[in-house]
Amino acid sequence: MNEGDVELSTIAGTLFLFVLLSSCLAFAGWIRRWLRYGFVLAYQPRRRLPWGPIAGVLALLMTAMGIGNAMMMRGNETPEVASRDFASAYWTMTLMQVGFTAAIVAVLVLLLGASRRDLGLPTSLAELGADLSLGLWMGLALMVPVFALQMVSIFVLGIPPGHPLLDQMSATPDLTVFAVAMAAAVIVAPVFEEIVYRLLLQGGLERLEDEFVSWPFSRPTRASERLVEEVAEENNALADQQEVSESVTTTPTHAAGEELFDTTIEPEELPPMAPGGPGMWPGLNHGWAPILISSFLFALAHLGNGPSPIPLFAMAMFLGYAYQRTHRILPSIIAHVVLNLTSVTVLIVQLMSAR
């Protein structure tokens, strides 16, 4: 080992210890808040999304495609595979994910009238900063349970490690494969997967559950504006028929919670009522069924990647909880990026140090 390799190993070791300490502190903070308050993130009100559980069809399709792609890539995975050929195949898959992501957003905005809030995007610089900070905290905190479960799966359960991209990086450690790994695993995959499994699937299932239990504390979609107008017209007609003094208190002409159907109200003006009570799944409280279903399908999509489904299910549960509480997608994307970036970077440093 030459002097340059020793210096690289020293820097890498220092960074690894810093990240490890930061992740332990972040995870301890997460647990502390849960034990102290009974929750980690305060619930933020939201409007009812303009898409429903039909979005789950796309998630099922993506899950099937993910399993098929993983199996296909592992079936072709041999030391003889040229890095250019592998990179070309992965670039193609990555571009397909980019295209799907753009198409999904276009459909939600142009056909369903989804707003920035519906898409879980920040509407101000303050919200952007808060989302980035929350995502970084979540990503660091997640490293502890995710990597611990990864180690248990390999060394205790005896599941052999394996991932098409990481295996190819080990077989042909060159800049072409490293660039593909950074683009596909660190940037595109987190955005694509969080939109499909958290925003589309979990968000659609949350709307289904809200309707199933008649949860009033969420705003309707723009498709409900006609109902709003009808209620307003009915109330105006009743008001015209009743000549009462301003000092007289009258009985409300709408049911409790119906005022939340005013589409001029912003989510922050709604009462911060977190879902509670029985949900649509027997034995689960309101809010947890969408998290479990989306997390299970997310883990299933990585079925061909060795022990990955086990720690990724835990990761998806964390991210699903965060989305259910905040209804913002950027923190989940950032946390996903942090985890994937850490995994890929550690492997790259190991490969470069071994050369």
Side-chain angles (χ1 to χ4, degrees):
M1 182 178 292
N2 57 41
E3 184 178 345
D5 292 335
V6 173
E7 183 178 353
L8 177 61
S9 299
T10 302
I11 295 175
T14 303
L15 289 176
F16 176 77
L17 290 176
F18 174 77
V19 172
L20 179 62
L21 177 60
S22 300
S23 63
C24 290
L25 291 175
F27 184 70
W30 187 284
I31 297 299
R32 180 175 177 272
R33 285 183 60 86
W34 184 278
L35 295 176
R36 183 174 183 179
Y37 303 111
F39 60 86
V40 180
L41 303 174
Y43 181 80
Q44 300 183 19
R46 57 168 169 77
R47 58 175 279 162
R48 198 164 295 171
L49 297 176
W51 61 86
I54 190 64
V57 175
L58 178 60
L60 288 173
L61 177 62
M62 295 301 103
T63 300
M65 290 179 60
I67 295 174
N69 285 332
M71 295 301 184
M72 179 183 66
M73 297 300 290
R74 287 191 65 82
N76 293 335
E77 177 204 358
T78 60
E80 290 76 21
V81 175
S83 60
R84 284 189 178 181
D85 296 337
F86 188 90
S88 177
Y90 240 89
W91 275 124
T92 301
M93 186 172 65
T94 300
L95 291 176
M96 288 177 59
Q97 290 181 337
V98 172
F100 269 117
T101 303
I104 290 169
V105 174
V107 168
L108 295 181
V109 173
L110 299 178
L111 297 185
L112 299 181
S115 66
R116 292 176 63 89
R117 291 187 180 277
D118 295 330
L119 297 176
L121 299 176
T123 57
S124 66
L125 289 178
E127 284 189 359
L128 176 61
D131 287 353
L132 293 175
S133 300
L134 176 58
L136 179 60
W137 178 42
M138 289 166 50
L140 290 172
L142 275 171
M143 289 183 189
V144 175
V146 168
F147 292 144
L149 285 173
Q150 184 85 357
M151 294 298 101
V152 170
S153 301
I154 295 174
F155 297 107
V156 178
L157 301 181
I159 303 176
H163 187 286
L165 183 56
L166 301 183
D167 291 347
Q168 187 66 28
M169 289 174 62
S170 300
T172 55
D174 60 36
L175 293 179
T176 302
V177 178
F178 292 168
V180 171
M182 283 296 178
V186 178
I187 300 176
V188 177
V191 175
F192 175 71
E193 292 175 350
E194 292 308 312
I195 287 178
V196 170
Y197 291 98
R198 235 65 61 195
L199 184 65
L200 281 183
L201 178 58
Q202 184 177 324
L205 290 173
E206 285 184 5
R207 170 177 168 171
L208 174 65
E209 186 169 51
D210 287 350
E211 295 172 349
F212 182 83
V213 300
S214 301
W215 181 251
F217 299 106
S218 60
R219 291 184 62 199
T221 65
R222 295 178 185 178
S224 301
E225 290 182 356
R226 186 176 0 177
L227 174 61
V228 175
E229 295 175 358
E230 292 175 357
V231 171
E233 291 176 359
E234 180 182 351
N235 290 343
N236 291 336
L238 291 174
D240 291 340
Q241 295 173 7
Q242 299 174 354
E243 296 182 359
V244 294
S245 171
E246 292 183 359
S247 62
V248 177
T249 302
T250 60
T251 302
T253 58
H254 54 264
E258 195 169 279
E259 65 273 8
L260 303 181
F261 283 78
D262 182 358
T263 55
T264 63
I265 297 179
E266 292 299 326
E268 54 267 21
E269 299 179 61
L270 302 180
M273 298 292 294
M280 64 180 181
W281 194 301
L284 289 179
N285 285 339
H286 183 195
W288 282 104
I291 297 175
L292 279 171
I293 294 173
S294 61
S295 298
F296 175 75
L297 290 178
F298 176 78
L300 195 62
H302 299 80
L303 191 60
N305 300 336
S308 295
I310 297 175
L312 289 184
F313 177 78
M315 182 190 84
M317 289 290 293
F318 269 76
L319 300 184
Y321 170 78
Y323 176 76
Q324 190 265 348
R325 301 293 291 187
T326 66
H327 296 105
R328 300 203 301 270
I329 196 63
L330 190 56
S332 296
I333 292 175
I334 296 300
H336 201 152
V337 167
V338 170
L339 283 169
N340 286 10
L341 176 63
T342 302
S343 299
V344 173
T345 301
V346 168
L347 181 56
I348 290 177
V349 171
Q350 289 178 344
L351 294 174
M352 292 182 65
S353 300
R355 296 177 68 176

